[in-house]
Amino acid sequence: MIAIKDRIGNAKAKTIYALVRKHGTVSKQLLQEQSEMKGSTLTRLLEDMTAEGWIEEVGFGESTGGRRPILYRLRASRGYVFGLDISRIHSRLALCDLSFRKIDSRVWKMTPGSTPEVLIQHMTDAMETMLDIHRIPRDALLGVGVGGVGPLDRQKGMITNPLYFPSPGWTDVPVCRMISERMGVPCSLDNGANAALLGEYWTDDPEERGEHVLYIHGGIGLRSAMLSNGKLVYGAVDMEGAVGQMIIQSDGIPHREPDGNYGCLESYASIYALEQVAASRLKQGRDSGLRAIVERPEQVKFEHLVEAIHGGDPLTVDIFQQSATYFGIGLANMLNLLHPEKVILGGPMFNTQDVYFETATKVAIRNTYYYPAYQVTFSRGKLGEEALAIGAAVMAAEQLTD
């Protein structure tokens, strides 16, 4: 089994590959300026990497007075990677080339029968089928990346103790070993928020990428990730779910888990929180279009709330706006602390309707110190619910330059 980082063996070649990937299409002159390599060294590397199929020539750039410069880009078909998103509601598989273009994908709804063995068997069977359908040779498959719900152990490739999975058995699951044994290629694991952020970052246009980017995924809980200088920020422990434990009201709502913080953000801004408030309002006898969708308040689920809000139900709109206001306050705290250039808000809380995103970003800006001198761009990203799976594929391919 060849490690992905060993596919390009020369350290200087890795540097050039990383620069070509960063810029998309790039001239030899810019590569020389940014790599600070001698012209002869760079010429030899470009010739070798072109011959090995890692990069390709794509025409000529504009002349600045002399000969028109040759332009280079990655050769996307040089290798392929799979990305897996293992999450609580749906899990996904994406097949990508080295330009991170999605070639194929598959989605599984997580049910009480979605145990690790069952899900991973389904996923690896689907991988085999995709390789056959797209006539991809097995030696062109570089590896697999997994974005999972934390907490997890990246070094051991193990999902350790995730909360709220609908099926049993997800404690101390060696997902990377299980996948590598079945597919015969390396597998790496990181939390889903980190994977999604990488996916959004690397599939964005090069000129639009920020170097300091905050990502927050809003779903059953809250998950976050941060890029600084284009690199993921890691703490001493996996911190994906830490944003949900940010205290915004010290004597507030108890967290649904015994060891959670009182008044933490996740108790006001999450799918679970929205469902709880909606059920409470219906029990109080409030008028709502939800009564035509569910028979009893306890039956309210997020998909019912989305249906109601698209129908213009005033009560549901109010519930979403109140929750988004709390989220906006928590987001302002993170902006005041981290000062990212760009914030990407992903997940079903933001992607299924507009109210939550619009309310949360307005509240965040009103509570951001130094605004408008400090400017930040808000986005829901380009990948939607596929961000985690595509980002996991990116995570695997990034190892070419490690």
Side-chain angles (χ1 to χ4, degrees), residues 128 152 156 170 219 253 258-259 269 275 289 324 335-336 353 355 371 392:
E128 298 282 4
L152 48 80
K156 293 181 179 179
W170 284 96
I253 299 172
D259 56 351
E275 292 171 345
L335 296 180
N336 290 329
Q353 33 66 48
V355 172
Y371 185 83

Side-chain angles (χ1 to χ4, degrees), residues 76-281:
S77 60
R78 177 61 176 80
Y80 298 85
V81 283
F82 281 111
L84 304 183
D85 164 17
I86 298 179
S87 293
R88 300 173 177 111
I89 301 175
H90 292 94
S91 288
R92 286 177 167 81
L93 165 68
L95 171 63
C96 297
D97 62 20
L98 293 184
S99 67
F100 310 134
R101 178 180 66 92
K102 186 188 75 173
I103 296 168
D104 206 343
S105 63
R106 178 82 183 272
V107 181
W108 292 267
K109 181 175 176 59
M110 297 294 277
T111 69
S114 301
T115 62
E117 281 289 344
V118 169
L119 181 66
I120 290 174
Q121 187 64 57
H122 285 325
M123 287 181 158
T124 52
D125 287 347
M127 290 183 208
E128 298 282 4
T129 300
M130 288 181 188
L131 293 176
D132 290 340
I133 289 173
H134 299 283
R135 298 180 180 179
I136 295 172
R138 291 301 298 261
D139 60 2
L141 178 62
L142 304 186
V144 180
V146 181
V149 176
L152 48 80
D153 188 321
R154 290 187 300 121
Q155 282 68 39
K156 293 181 179 179
M158 180 179 291
I159 293 177
T160 56
N161 188 28
L163 297 175
Y164 316 126
F165 266 48
S167 62
W170 284 96
T171 301
D172 295 335
V173 180
V175 290
C176 287
R177 178 175 59 80
M178 295 169 71
I179 292 166
S180 289
E181 287 176 352
R182 288 168 169 80
M183 298 302 298
V185 293
C187 180
S188 55
L189 173 69
D190 206 336
N191 70 56
N194 283 345
L197 178 50
L198 285 177
E200 294 287 3
Y201 179 82
W202 282 110
T203 56
D204 211 349
D205 296 329
E207 60 273 11
E208 294 181 9
R209 290 182 198 136
E211 291 300 292
H212 306 281
V213 186
L214 173 65
Y215 175 87
I216 301 179
H217 182 277
I220 291 177
L222 297 177
R223 304 154 72 182
S224 67
M226 180 76 187
L227 279 173
S228 183
N229 294 315
K231 300 292 184 182
L232 286 171
V233 176
Y234 289 100
V237 296
D238 180 47
M239 57 185 184
E240 179 191 42
V243 62
Q245 290 297 321
M246 179 193 303
I247 298 170
I248 57 172
Q249 188 170 334
S250 60
D251 59 347
I253 299 172
H255 193 268
R256 54 186 151 157
E257 293 299 317
D259 56 351
N261 288 325
Y262 283 95
C264 68
L265 184 59
E266 199 170 80
S267 295
Y268 298 86
S270 63
I271 285 178
Y272 175 81
L274 288 166
E275 292 171 345
Q276 293 298 109
V277 172
S280 175
R281 297 292 184 272

